Amino acid sequence: VVAGLAKEFAPHGVAINAVNPGPVRSPRWERLMEAAAARDGISATEAEARMLERMGLQRLVTPEEVAAAVLRLAAPDAAVMNGASVFVEGRP
């Protein structure tokens, strides 16, 4: 989708890029882990560890890390980028 939109809008001087965050540490994530912990009779920390293991992640990303990726794509020196998909996730 990103590449198609980038190609379509490039003649109009519009660059299309995407930031694709993995799971982000947030209040919503914390609520999900608390619910999973209560359901499984374990701690929220253990629920998170199990979830990250199933997802193949070592850690959650922070909102600041997602914001940094967005700022990178918005920086003047990124003007040559078009059709890029930046993945921000806690993979090894």
Side-chain angles (χ1 to χ4, degrees):
V1 172
V2 173
L5 288 172
K7 186 175 180 179
E8 181 178 343
F9 286 95
H12 304 288
V14 177
I16 305 290
N17 298 298
V19 173
N20 304 291
V24 178
R25 182 156 312 278
S26 65
R28 181 174 186 269
W29 176 267
E30 300 300 331
R31 287 191 306 274
L32 289 171
M33 291 306 100
E34 289 169 9
R39 180 194 66 224
D40 296 341
I42 58 176
S43 71
T45 301
E46 180 61 25
E48 180 176 295
R50 288 180 183 182
M51 181 66 71
L52 292 176
E53 185 177 318
R54 282 194 297 266
M55 298 168 78
L57 302 174
Q58 290 186 331
R59 67 178 185 85
L60 298 174
V61 297
T62 65
E64 293 81 11
E65 289 169 319
V66 176
V70 171
L71 289 173
R72 172 67 183 103
L73 289 176
D77 63 341
V80 296
M81 295 177 71
N82 191 26
S85 290
V86 177
F87 292 86
V88 182
E89 52 189 17
R91 295 218 182 265

